[in-house]
Amino acid sequence: MRHEILKNIKRLVIKIGSRILTAGENGLDRGTIDRIATQVASLRASGHEVIIVSSGAVAAGRSALGLVGRPRTIPQKQAAAAVGQTRLMRTYEEAFAAFGANVGQVLLTREDLADRQRFLNARATIDTLLGFGIIPIINENDTVAVEEIKFGDNDNLSALVTTLAEAQLLLIMTDIDGFYSADPRTDPTARLVPLVRAITREVEQAAGGSGSSVGTGGMATKLVAAKKVVKSGVPTLMVNGSSPEIIIRAMAGEEVGTLFLPAGKGINRRKHWIAYTLRPRGRVIVDQGAREVLAKQGRSLLPSGIVQLEGEFERGSCVRVCGPDGTEFARGLTDYSHAEIAKILGHRSHEIEQILGYRYGDEIIHRDNLVLL
Ligand SMILES: Nc1ncnc2c1ncn2[C@@H]1O[C@H](COP(=O)(O)OP(=O)(O)O)[C@@H](O)[C@H]1O
Ligand SMILES: N[C@@H](CCC(=O)OP(=O)(O)O)C(=O)O
């Protein structure tokens, strides 16, 4: 089955985590980067288009700052990234030059992709680089990204890039053989799971944090990323980046790592962008009846089903839609601001105009702008 899934893939995103790029805690591991370049060059020779999402800037830069362990403050992390990003790119540039290939640096923040225009610009740049035969190497723009606008981790960034670039596979390279039934550092009975058909809550519970001073997020963020990707109908493969020839073996369909199967055909790309790229500005709590018709019948959200609101947002914002117990089950673009919804919640749609003096429509979130998670 793996072979069937992998044989038609042309464009793929390879996410390379800090843990395999760094030699211990100090600086970059040139040997690993050379091995990656050799394999990527051979994939390209067989007709693949490869986009790399690479971590490692902070880890590569911190020795220049004389820091021991993880940078303690955000400005320290940003300073380390500023130094490390150039080292990282220089290393990739040298490694790929041995194969006559050029690389291009693309640094992104979440805000870039949440803005539809910039999202389209980033996509055009990546397409153009690939068109010229250049390998895009993407990282978060750590020097400007602060808590509020950062992707959170490069697992998430790689998921967003996979949809942005319409890639057919996300290949995550980390320092462990794949996804285990439990965190192997704390549970000796943990076993490698070769195939995940659906990322259920049970699967998510098996994922632990990073436990290292260079990695960010651990398995938990990798599963969140894989979930986003499979939801768009694209498989995700997670492998141990330190094994020799791993990219070639994985792409040849060998049973290595963990394969996460795509969830059906996937939601359309605009809905994917609403659900996973936009930053939610507030929460709308609905009653059980509304939850059921939204989740089971694919209906729009009307004011009568809303019981409570949190946050301040404008018309057109992305909001979380939560059930009576507060659990988020959908996301959508709202047609009314928080101030307007506060006045009309619990009312019938035909009363909107009477209460507000105007109306945009019957729905708070139209089903075309609503995505079930
Ligand atoms: N269920 C699990 N299966 C595999 N690894 C896990 C699991 N739970 C936690 N981990 C940890 O996640 C780590 C990989 O994540 P991370 O440190 O963020 O690496 P990277 O730098 O590649 O992103 C592994 O080394 C492992 O210790
Ligand atoms: N943008 C950061 C990477 C942050 C990150 O997510 O790291 P990792 O968990 O190793 O993929 C850097 O280049 O250091």
Side-chain angles (χ1 to χ4, degrees):
M1 179 180 59
R2 277 206 187 204
H3 185 68
E4 283 307 300
I5 291 177
L6 296 168
K7 76 172 188 220
N8 294 322
I9 285 164
K10 183 162 189 273
R11 184 176 286 192
L12 67 148
V13 171
I14 303 183
K15 188 264 168 173
I16 309 170
S18 310
R19 295 193 71 164
I20 58 158
L21 285 173
T22 46
E25 306 227 320
N26 271 316
L28 293 166
D29 183 345
R30 180 63 200 255
T32 300
I33 295 180
D34 282 340
R35 278 194 297 279
I36 292 170
T38 309
Q39 297 176 74
V40 169
S42 113
L43 277 189
R44 281 161 43 95
S46 61
H48 290 90
E49 290 180 327
V50 181
I51 297 162
I52 292 178
V53 172
S54 180
S55 303
V58 174
R62 63 191 185 188
S63 60
L65 292 149
L67 294 175
V68 180
R70 199 185 274 279
R72 269 178 285 281
T73 61
I74 288 186
Q76 277 188 3
K77 184 181 157 197
Q78 292 173 313
V83 179
Q85 182 64 25
T86 61
R87 296 185 175 193
L88 187 62
M89 287 308 292
R90 191 170 61 237
T91 313
Y92 277 116
E93 210 164 67
E94 287 171 8
F96 279 110
F99 302 93
N102 287 309
V103 297
Q105 168 180 273
V106 180
L107 298 178
L108 295 171
T109 63
R110 189 192 181 114
E111 294 288 285
D112 294 327
L113 299 189
D115 177 304
R116 193 74 186 157
Q117 197 58 45
R118 288 204 242 167
F119 176 92
L120 296 172
N121 288 341
R123 176 195 292 172
T125 306
I126 292 169
D127 272 344
T128 310
L129 287 169
L130 291 170
F132 278 108
I134 291 165
I135 303 158
I137 301 191
I138 303 175
N139 196 355
E140 182 168 21
N141 192 354
D142 289 307
T143 53
V144 296
V146 289
E147 223 49 66
E148 210 190 343
I149 56 166
K150 70 201 263 271
F151 288 105
D153 62 86
N154 274 6
D155 298 320
N156 186 24
L157 174 61
S158 68
L160 298 181
V161 168
T162 304
T163 21
L164 171 82
E166 292 178 55
Q168 293 142 319
L169 176 74
L170 170 62
L171 179 64
I172 299 181
M173 307 227 291
T174 184
D175 68 335
I176 190 154
D177 286 345
F179 168 68
Y180 280 70
S181 53
D183 186 342
R185 285 164 307 163
T186 51
D187 187 342
T189 65
R191 292 273 171 277
L192 177 69
V193 183
L195 182 70
V196 176
R197 290 180 189 278
I199 304 174
T200 56
R201 197 160 284 191
E202 205 185 1
V203 168
E204 283 167 340
Q205 275 162 359
S210 170
S212 86
S213 69
V214 291
T216 310
M219 193 49 58
T221 52
K222 286 175 189 35
L223 284 197
V224 174
K227 198 168 178 180
K228 288 182 181 176
V229 173
V230 299
K231 267 250 179 188
S232 62
V234 173
T236 298
L237 188 54
M238 191 187 301
V239 296
N240 190 335
S242 21
S243 313
E245 297 284 296
I246 191 70
I247 303 178
I248 302 298
R249 289 165 54 206
M251 292 307 289
E254 224 180 274
E255 289 284 324
V256 286
T258 303
L259 176 67
F260 297 86
L261 290 183
K265 285 207 333 298
I267 52 177
N268 75 39
R269 295 195 310 131
R270 188 170 160 281
K271 285 205 169 183
H272 199 273
W273 179 73
I274 292 174
Y276 298 121
T277 306
L278 289 182
R279 193 158 69 88
R281 303 281 159 179
R283 285 155 62 88
V284 174
I285 322 285
V286 304
D287 61 24
Q288 190 55 26
R291 189 194 154 113
E292 267 167 33
V293 294
L294 261 56
K296 297 197 181 129
Q297 298 171 27
R299 301 266 193 86
S300 300
L301 175 63
L302 304 177
S304 54
I306 301 178
V307 289
Q308 206 186 318
L309 271 188
E310 283 168 25
E312 296 186 0
F313 47 85
E314 297 305 312
R315 167 172 148 79
S317 303
C318 173
V319 293
R320 299 179 198 274
V321 183
C322 307
D325 63 351
T327 315
E328 179 183 18
F329 68 95
R331 261 179 216 191
L333 299 183
T334 152
D335 276 322
Y336 289 86
S337 70
H338 75 98
E340 290 164 333
I341 302 174
K343 293 183 191 149
I344 57 181
L345 63 80
H347 288 275
R348 321 285 302 185
S349 295
H350 66 80
E351 296 173 285
I352 295 178
E353 187 155 10
Q354 201 184 325
I355 299 169
L356 297 179
Y358 53 86
R359 67 195 279 276
Y360 299 116
D362 285 349
E363 306 87 10
I364 298 295
I365 302 177
H366 191 277
R367 59 193 159 93
D368 291 347
N369 295 326
L370 186 80
V371 197
L372 296 171
L373 298 176

